């Protein structure tokens, strides 16, 4: 259901709506013309999520993003490389590669500039369980603004430390973000950042007095209780050839537990992109071309 809007044209939602946020778009139709592609991407901006279906199984992430949607040279390389294959691994160092459930979250909270756009491409899913789900965090923040504004203010003004230091990798990412950020000029909700596994609560304790920490946890636990309300979520078991774009500054994603057996797979290809490339594609009437501009030489 649609619950609210803001000046950007973004529509806040809860649960499924096959004509709105959970509408499935056909790959052939979306890629038939530049106007169709732009209509699909505008839908994504409005709801923070968009689903593509019937993608040929021989296409990979770059085929879909660069050639199909026409957003060229835009995939952002992260600690997980440009494209990451998320599949089951025994004894993983990252929960995403295990078989357990993952509560709703945004990704890469430990980056100073978290990627705005996230792509999920389901390549294969033959395991039992493993349903994906999504939550519009902006609708949660809006509800809290109307009912408990003092808790929103705490989430806006008290930053949490996020740290990612997987053993044996030499990787060390550390930064601070408030859970909620707002536009300074018009007060619109701008960004949420929330990745429970990488919260550095020890550093949080060292840098904030007890009274502040108590106030923050009170606000955060209330916020999480709304995020985890199943009435707000849209849940779906993705199949091969389905593709999801999410706004990583707005929409949480998660996964239910699955049961892996020999010969079965759950493989999801993931990638990220900064917002400028999405905006450029929507503003342009033409699909991007793989050309090197003169400015690239400097």
């Amino acid at each position: 259901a649609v619950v609210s809007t803001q000046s950007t044209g973004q529509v806040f939602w809860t649960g499924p709506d096959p004509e709105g946020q959970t509408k499935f778009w056909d790959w052939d139709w979306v890629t038939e013309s530049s106007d169709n592609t732009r209509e699909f991407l505008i839908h994504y901006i409005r709801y923070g999520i968009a689903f593509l279906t019937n993608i040929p199984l021989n296409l990979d992430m770059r085929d879909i993003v660069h050639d199909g949607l026409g957003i060229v040279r835009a995939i952002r390389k992260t600690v997980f490389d440009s494209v990451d294959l998320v599949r089951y691994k025994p004894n993983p160092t990252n929960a995403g590669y295990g078989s357990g459930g993952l509560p709703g979250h945004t990704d890469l909270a430990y980056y100073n500039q978290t990627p705005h756009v996230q792509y999920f491409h389901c390549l294969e899913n033959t395991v039992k369980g493993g349903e994906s789900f999504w939550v519009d965090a902006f609708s949660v923040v809006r509800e809290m603004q109307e009912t408990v504004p003092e808790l929103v203010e705490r989430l806006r003004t008290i930053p949490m430390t996020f740290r990612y230091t997987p053993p044996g990798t030499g990787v060390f990412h550390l930064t601070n973000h408030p859970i909620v950020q707002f536009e300074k000029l018009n007060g619109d909700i701008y960004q949420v950042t929330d990745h429970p596994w990488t919260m550095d609560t020890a550093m949080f304790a060292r840098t904030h007095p007890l009274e502040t920490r108590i106030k923050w946890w009170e606000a955060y636990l209330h916020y999480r209780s709304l995020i985890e309300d199943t009435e707000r979520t849209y849940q779906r078991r993705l199949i091969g050839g389905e593709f999801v774009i999410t706004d990583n500054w707005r929409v949480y994603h998660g996964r239910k537990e699955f049961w892996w057996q020999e010969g079965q797979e759950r493989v999801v290809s993931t990638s990220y992109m900064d917002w400028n490339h999405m905006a450029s594609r929507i503003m342009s009437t033409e699909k991007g071309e793989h050309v090197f501009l003169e400015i690239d030489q400097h």
Side-chain angles (χ1 to χ4, degrees):
V2 170
V3 295
S4 188
T5 60
Q6 64 180 1
S7 65
T8 56
Q10 292 169 304
V11 177
F12 303 167
W13 51 269
T14 62
D17 178 359
E19 296 303 317
Q21 63 273 12
T22 55
K23 176 180 178 179
F24 270 73
W25 299 69
D26 181 73
W27 168 256
D28 287 340
W29 185 88
V30 167
T31 58
E32 184 179 46
S33 71
S34 186
D35 285 343
N36 290 2
T37 304
R38 291 175 70 231
E39 182 178 340
F40 168 72
L41 296 176
I42 289 169
H43 173 96
Y44 159 74
I45 289 179
R46 181 174 293 120
Y47 294 102
I49 192 167
F51 295 85
L52 270 172
T53 190
N54 297 323
I55 296 175
L57 296 179
N58 64 315
L59 299 186
D60 63 18
M61 179 69 73
R62 291 178 177 84
D63 294 330
I64 296 167
V65 176
H66 293 174
D67 300 330
L69 300 180
I71 312 174
V72 301
R73 300 171 58 203
I75 290 176
R76 175 176 168 179
K77 191 170 184 177
T78 72
V79 68
F80 299 106
D81 213 336
S82 299
V83 179
D84 184 30
L85 285 181
V86 181
R87 68 197 316 161
Y88 174 75
K89 299 177 182 178
N91 304 312
T93 57
N94 184 299
Y97 303 122
S99 61
L102 303 175
H105 60 281
T106 64
D107 270 7
L108 301 182
Y110 39 84
Y111 273 65
N112 290 332
Q113 178 76 16
T114 59
H116 202 150
V117 182
Q118 183 164 20
Y119 299 110
F120 297 87
H121 180 205
C122 183
L123 301 173
E124 183 180 0
N125 191 5
T126 56
V127 300
K128 180 182 178 182
E131 295 84 0
S132 300
F133 63 88
W134 301 268
V135 184
D136 184 5
F138 280 15
S139 72
V140 170
V141 175
R142 176 57 55 82
E143 179 179 319
M144 289 180 63
Q145 284 181 298
E146 296 169 351
T147 57
V148 284
E150 70 281 3
L151 299 188
V152 177
E153 185 65 9
R154 297 176 196 177
L155 296 177
R156 183 187 74 83
T157 58
I158 305 172
M160 168 55 71
T161 300
F162 296 91
R163 176 172 58 90
Y164 184 61
T165 54
T169 64
V171 171
F172 188 97
H173 287 284
L174 178 74
T175 193
N176 300 285
H177 294 290
I179 297 296
V180 181
Q181 298 182 57
F182 295 88
E183 283 279 9
K184 294 180 180 179
L185 295 179
N186 58 20
D188 280 347
I189 308 167
Y190 180 65
Q191 181 179 358
V192 295
T193 308
D194 185 15
H195 194 267
W197 302 275
T198 57
M199 285 183 178
D200 191 339
T201 54
M203 182 64 73
F204 185 61
R206 291 176 60 187
T207 54
H208 294 82
L210 178 60
E211 182 180 358
T212 300
R213 300 199 310 269
I214 291 173
K215 290 181 178 180
W216 186 88
W217 280 108
E218 179 185 17
Y220 180 69
L221 291 175
H222 182 84
Y223 172 75
R224 286 297 311 196
S225 72
L226 297 177
I227 288 290
E228 295 174 13
D229 179 359
T230 56
E231 294 297 317
R232 292 183 175 274
T233 65
Y234 171 60
Q235 179 173 302
R236 178 180 177 85
R237 185 179 185 279
L238 294 174
I239 61 174
E242 293 185 339
F243 190 87
V244 190
I245 313 178
T246 65
D247 184 338
N248 189 51
W249 290 12
R250 170 184 173 182
V251 173
Y252 283 44
H253 64 278
R255 180 188 74 201
K256 298 295 185 180
E257 181 182 11
F258 66 87
W259 289 264
W260 180 86
Q261 293 182 348
E262 194 71 37
Q264 297 181 339
E265 288 281 8
R266 185 185 187 277
V267 186
V268 178
S269 173
T270 66
S271 200
Y272 305 93
M273 188 178 77
D274 291 324
W275 186 255
N276 307 67
H277 301 287
M278 179 66 70
S280 173
R281 177 65 189 91
I282 291 172
M283 295 298 291
S284 173
T285 58
E286 301 293 334
K287 290 188 176 183
E289 298 291 340
H290 291 273
V291 297
F292 286 91
L293 305 180
E294 184 178 352
I295 194 173
D296 292 329
Q297 309 306 315
H298 303 282

